[in-house]
Amino acid sequence: MRIAVAAGPGGGGTLRTLAEDGTPAAPARAVPDLVAAIAEQERAAAPRWVWPSTARLYPRLLDAGVRVARCHDLELVESLLLGHAGRYGEPRSVRAAWARLRGEPVPPDRPPPHDEPAQPSLFDDDTTRDDPADDIGQVVAVHAEQQRAIATLDGFPLLAAAESVGALVAAELSHDGLPWSAEEHDALLTELLGPRPTGGLRPRHLQELADQISAAFDRPPAPTRRHSTDELRSAPRVHVNPDSPAQILKAFAAAGLPIPSTRAHVLKRLDHPAVPLLLEYKELSRLRTAHGWAWLDTWVSGGRFRPEYVVGGVVSGGWATSGGGALQIPRVLRRAVVADPGWSLVVADAAQLEPRVLATLAGDRAFTDAAAHGDLYAALSDAFHDGGDHSARDKAKIALLSAMYGGGTGEAVQLLGVLKKRFPDAFEYVEAAARAGERGGLVRSRLGRTCPPPSAGWRELTAAGDGDAPDPTAAQALRSRGRFTRNFVVQATAADWALALLGSLRRRLTALGSPRLVFFQHDEVIVHTPAALAGDVTAAVHAAADEARRLLFGDTPVVFPMEVAVVDRYADAK
């Protein structure tokens, strides 16, 4: 059973029961308390809820202690369907989809929930706000059209369900939060940076490094053709602000070491006493800016870190964050992620996910046989002889990554040749995706997630006429898009698998009761669980990975092993 939902002002709304194909199965009914009505229906029938946006409505339910098992997120599914039709990025709201159905002008989407003002301004356009008397009809019509379209596309029913459950998981992750010790975090910052400063000053250790950097540049270098010994002795003392790239470049130039930028890989090529100090300063300054005391005050409360996830925020289906940087927690900060007393963290990530995905997509027999083992790179190593700077296993890894991500120079080119000879179907699969991209075509994941089309500017740049001399800029644009589509088919399918994993694991954790998913990025999950249930959670992780494999790839010998650690703090997992 499906129930369409239209939220209204004052906490009320409208519900309407639907058949699986989206056609109405009962009259619409207004409810004065939408959250209570959803809670009641969830307990009675656990329907699939059809609503415009999980990100806008589900947090209200979670705040009231209401969780639902299933939903159909109209905005996310509309975005997937638009992408499949080569119209990536067009407005995806219910009102936009409704307008397209009627051939009317399509309104722009509302800002994301976290970007909307808490209260309407004097000049807000009322047409962007929910009206339950109108929206239930639009919700029902748009859902029925989506169901019709989904039924014609291979893999799309599972893709729509996976994307929608991903939205439920994302809201629950933000609501439940990742266990985070503010005390551990503060102690770590104090250890690395010095005590928390006041008045906008640098922390003590950063200031010490800044002083040492200036002193390093103040040391007279060896005389060169440009500088006599007397000139160096009479040179004024220098002060270099390490936060100013312009001053750093000027200081190195004055030392006879001109460089094009202050990037770490450029600095590492220099022989100068300031280099190690600058590299350390950069690393600690980055920590202070991205995850320092201001971040701690903003994002951690009540012993939990609650970021704002954006489902499908990456074109290949990966998630993004609109705040908090949950997808980029530095390794050094993981010691602040601490389980509650009597609880454990079950940390699990998929081993060599994307190469295994390529094995299933390509159907290369030899490659598939290798991917049926725990260590894929080791299983492939017999194709790459030892010698040189890398072991056979390392060579297999370099070759696979070069094939999936494009590019590669030197030894990587030779290793790609070995891969092409030994695993021709796997090599051809990504090569075909690259050629399609260079032609301006679209490529898709296993379930039908589709890459964005090239821009009008790209088409104009690469549309060389017959007999025209090749334009280096156009050639570079062609290669760049080819690298993008080469990677997209693998990365997007990996994202589909990860969403299927989340959906399966979420269902299994619900059956266990207390354990909660508290973190997800790419191919890694963390479950916060009573310590006594850690073994059951571990089993659930492995079962969910296997179920995701079967859902996407059917009866394949390729395995998708999960590396699992049960720890008290995240830092101990790896």
Side-chain angles (χ1 to χ4, degrees):
M1 182 175 70
R2 295 176 178 238
I3 298 180
V5 179
T14 309
L15 304 179
R16 188 163 194 180
T17 303
L18 309 174
E20 280 299 308
D21 63 359
T23 56
R29 63 186 181 95
V31 294
D33 187 335
L34 183 61
V35 172
I38 290 175
E40 179 183 358
Q41 287 292 325
E42 180 69 21
R43 287 192 299 268
R48 186 178 297 277
W49 296 98
V50 178
W51 49 44
S53 168
T54 304
R56 297 184 191 280
L57 178 58
Y58 197 38
R60 283 175 52 188
L61 302 180
L62 292 171
D63 288 344
V66 178
R67 295 180 185 243
V68 303
R70 304 181 299 164
C71 79
H72 179 103
D73 188 306
L74 292 168
E75 285 192 3
L76 290 177
V77 174
E78 188 71 11
S79 184
L80 292 172
L81 289 168
L82 287 168
H84 192 278
R87 301 165 66 180
Y88 179 88
E90 291 189 17
R92 64 182 189 173
S93 69
V94 168
R95 285 186 173 85
W98 169 254
R100 277 191 288 266
L101 282 175
R102 296 166 61 87
E104 297 174 350
V106 177
D109 287 339
R110 290 164 54 180
H114 52 273
D115 289 341
E116 288 189 329
Q119 295 181 351
S121 69
L122 177 62
F123 300 105
D124 268 346
D125 180 358
D126 286 340
T127 61
T128 67
R129 301 197 171 273
D130 294 322
D131 180 354
D134 296 329
D135 282 0
I136 193 64
Q138 296 178 14
V139 167
V140 171
V142 168
H143 174 250
E145 176 61 19
Q146 288 185 355
Q147 288 296 89
R148 184 202 63 76
I150 287 170
T152 67
L153 302 174
D154 289 342
F156 241 76
L158 178 56
L159 179 61
E163 194 86 338
S164 295
V165 78
L168 294 175
V169 171
E172 291 166 358
L173 290 175
S174 296
H175 179 269
D176 295 334
L178 179 66
W180 197 282
S181 170
E183 293 76 13
E184 287 276 0
H185 191 150
D186 177 71
L188 178 66
L189 294 176
T190 302
E191 173 188 329
L192 295 175
L193 304 175
R196 183 172 187 169
T198 58
L201 299 176
R202 290 190 183 102
R204 184 178 63 202
H205 186 46
L206 281 182
Q207 186 58 55
E208 291 171 350
L209 282 171
D211 294 340
Q212 292 170 24
I213 289 167
S214 290
F217 281 112
D218 197 36
R219 298 171 188 169
T224 68
R225 293 178 182 177
R226 295 182 182 179
H227 305 95
S228 68
T229 303
D230 290 341
E231 288 172 332
L232 291 171
R233 287 174 178 170
S234 62
R237 298 184 65 83
V238 299
H239 172 76
V240 178
N241 179 2
D243 295 316
S244 170
Q247 290 191 27
I248 295 172
L249 293 175
K250 183 178 178 180
F252 275 119
L257 296 169
I259 53 175
S261 76
T262 61
R263 295 181 179 275
H265 72 275
V266 175
L267 294 177
K268 289 177 181 178
R269 295 199 295 262
L270 302 180
D271 182 13
H272 190 280
V275 168
L277 300 170
L278 276 167
L279 293 175
E280 183 180 0
Y281 184 92
K282 278 174 166 285
E283 182 178 352
L284 293 179
S285 182
R286 191 180 303 116
L287 173 64
R288 179 199 179 196
T289 301
H291 291 94
W293 289 282
W295 181 93
L296 184 59
D297 293 341
T298 302
W299 291 104
V300 177
S301 62
R304 294 293 185 270
F305 166 40
R306 295 182 173 86
E308 297 168 350
Y309 293 94
V310 181
V311 178
V314 180
V315 296
S316 59
W319 290 9
T321 57
S322 59
L327 303 180
Q328 297 175 338
I329 298 176
R331 185 172 296 275
V332 69
L333 272 184
R334 293 180 180 180
R335 83 182 208 193
V337 181
V338 184
D340 293 344
W343 289 57
S344 296
L345 300 173
V346 177
V347 182
D349 65 283
Q352 305 156 346
L353 174 60
E354 291 184 5
R356 295 176 190 281
V357 166
L358 175 58
T360 60
L361 292 173
D364 189 301
R365 179 62 181 271
F367 194 22
T368 298
D369 289 345
H373 296 80
D375 187 338
L376 173 59
Y377 299 135
L380 291 173
S381 62
D382 66 337
F384 300 88
H385 300 296
D386 288 320
D389 296 331
H390 300 93
S391 69
R393 183 187 182 281
D394 290 339
K395 290 181 178 182
K397 181 176 182 179
I398 292 170
L400 276 177
L401 295 181
S402 298
M404 290 187 295
Y405 295 104
T409 58
E411 185 183 24
V413 175
Q414 299 176 359
L415 298 178
L416 272 174
V418 176
L419 184 70
K420 180 179 180 180
K421 182 178 180 180
R422 292 291 299 271
F423 311 108
D425 292 336
F427 186 84
E428 175 57 24
Y429 190 89
V430 289
E431 284 292 306
R435 291 194 297 268
E438 292 175 357
R439 293 193 301 268
L442 302 178
V443 297
R444 313 187 198 280
S445 73
R446 178 74 167 212
L447 298 184
R449 191 185 301 274
T450 306
C451 74
S455 67
W458 183 92
R459 292 188 183 280
E460 181 179 357
L461 175 64
T462 58
D466 293 338
D468 290 348
D471 182 344
T473 304
Q476 182 179 1
L478 288 169
R479 289 192 299 269
S480 177
R481 179 159 176 82
R483 284 193 297 271
F484 167 66
T485 53
R486 169 196 299 274
N487 179 234
F488 183 93
V489 291
V490 177
Q491 199 169 65
T493 301
D496 294 347
W497 178 89
L499 286 173
L501 167 77
L502 283 181
S504 176
L505 180 57
R506 175 178 181 263
R507 187 183 73 249
R508 296 169 190 276
L509 295 180
T510 299
L512 290 175
S514 302
R516 289 278 189 263
L517 268 166
V518 292
F519 182 73
F520 167 66
Q521 66 167 0
H522 183 52
D523 59 1
E524 182 179 14
V525 295
I526 299 179
V527 178
H528 192 220
T529 178
L533 293 178
D536 294 327
V537 170
T538 298
V541 168
H542 291 303
D546 193 56
E547 182 178 4
R549 175 185 64 86
R550 295 195 309 272
L551 285 171
L552 263 71
F553 307 116
D555 185 18
T556 174
V558 177
V559 296
F560 288 79
M562 300 294 290
E563 297 177 347
V564 181
V566 180
V567 294
D568 292 329
R569 64 182 65 220
Y570 189 18
D572 296 334
K574 296 180 181 180

